[in-house]
Amino acid sequence: PIGIAIDKDGNIYTANFSANNVSKITPNGTSTILGTTGSYPRGITIDKDGNIYTANWASYNVTKITPSGTSTILGSTDAAPIGITIDNAGNIYTTNNGSNNVSKITPSGTSTILGSTGAAPYGITIDNAGNIYTGNFTSNNVTKITPNGTSTILGTTGTNPFWMAIDKNGNIYTTNHEANTVSKITTR
């Protein structure tokens, strides 16, 4: 497993990289395979209806798995996707490591490039206004992409930011792989 997500009921889901599937672990510890994915899933996220989405690194696409376990390919990405997030309207966003950009996939499966990032984007998160933030592994910084696709460098991080999170105040946090640190970047 590489990616992990938790739903509102406390179920845990993992993106299983070499098995090309998603595991579901209930709060009491029961583990099952929920559904299959594209090749080498890395990132994973959940929508408000309990659908699971994975960023499939080797097949350049996103899988949608319903709560009952039905798997479909939702849409394609521009290059090897690593991070994945979702907005309130159900649009999916992926960091595309090979092309230094973010793909947007609508709920109907239409794929477009939202905006550019720094070098080798891994982590991704979204704020309440729909701004996307990426942790750029090779350039050691965070990109902010507005909903209309305008990209700017928000701030610098420690060496090799990998995963990231956002708090209720809009502060961005990155785990820095080589530096063994966590960076905080304020947005206000």
Side-chain angles (χ1 to χ4, degrees):
I2 291 184
I4 189 168
I6 302 173
D7 71 16
K8 60 182 171 44
D9 298 320
N11 296 298
I12 297 170
Y13 301 87
T14 61
N16 303 319
F17 187 71
S18 59
N20 300 325
N21 60 30
V22 167
S23 292
K24 176 181 179 181
I25 305 168
T26 64
N28 69 7
T30 302
S31 181
T32 58
I33 300 300
L34 179 63
T36 59
T37 66
S39 298
Y40 299 120
R42 292 189 72 152
I44 187 169
T45 194
I46 304 171
D47 71 16
K48 63 182 187 245
D49 297 321
N51 296 298
I52 304 295
Y53 302 86
T54 62
N56 305 315
W57 182 72
S59 55
Y60 293 17
N61 58 25
V62 168
T63 298
K64 176 182 179 181
I65 305 174
T66 66
S68 64
T70 301
S71 299
T72 56
I73 298 300
L74 177 64
S76 60
T77 63
D78 188 50
I82 294 179
I84 189 168
T85 194
I86 189 167
D87 68 17
N88 292 330
N91 296 299
I92 297 291
Y93 302 88
T94 64
T95 54
N96 302 317
N97 186 259
S99 57
N100 301 327
N101 61 27
V102 168
S103 288
K104 176 182 179 180
I105 304 173
T106 66
S108 64
T110 301
S111 301
T112 56
I113 301 301
L114 177 65
S116 60
T117 66
Y122 277 41
I124 188 169
T125 193
I126 188 169
D127 68 17
N128 291 331
N131 297 299
I132 298 290
Y133 302 89
T134 66
N136 306 312
F137 190 80
T138 305
S139 56
N140 303 320
N141 58 25
V142 168
T143 298
K144 175 183 178 180
I145 306 174
T146 63
N148 69 5
T150 301
S151 299
T152 56
I153 298 300
L154 179 65
T156 58
T157 65
T159 307
N160 300 139
F162 205 97
W163 296 123
M164 60 192 314
I166 188 169
D167 69 18
K168 64 181 180 178
N169 297 317
N171 297 304
I172 303 294
Y173 301 86
T174 63
T175 58
N176 305 314
H177 179 69
E178 279 300 312
N180 299 321
T181 61
V182 171
S183 294
K184 175 182 178 181
I185 301 173
T186 58
T187 58
R188 298 179 184 166

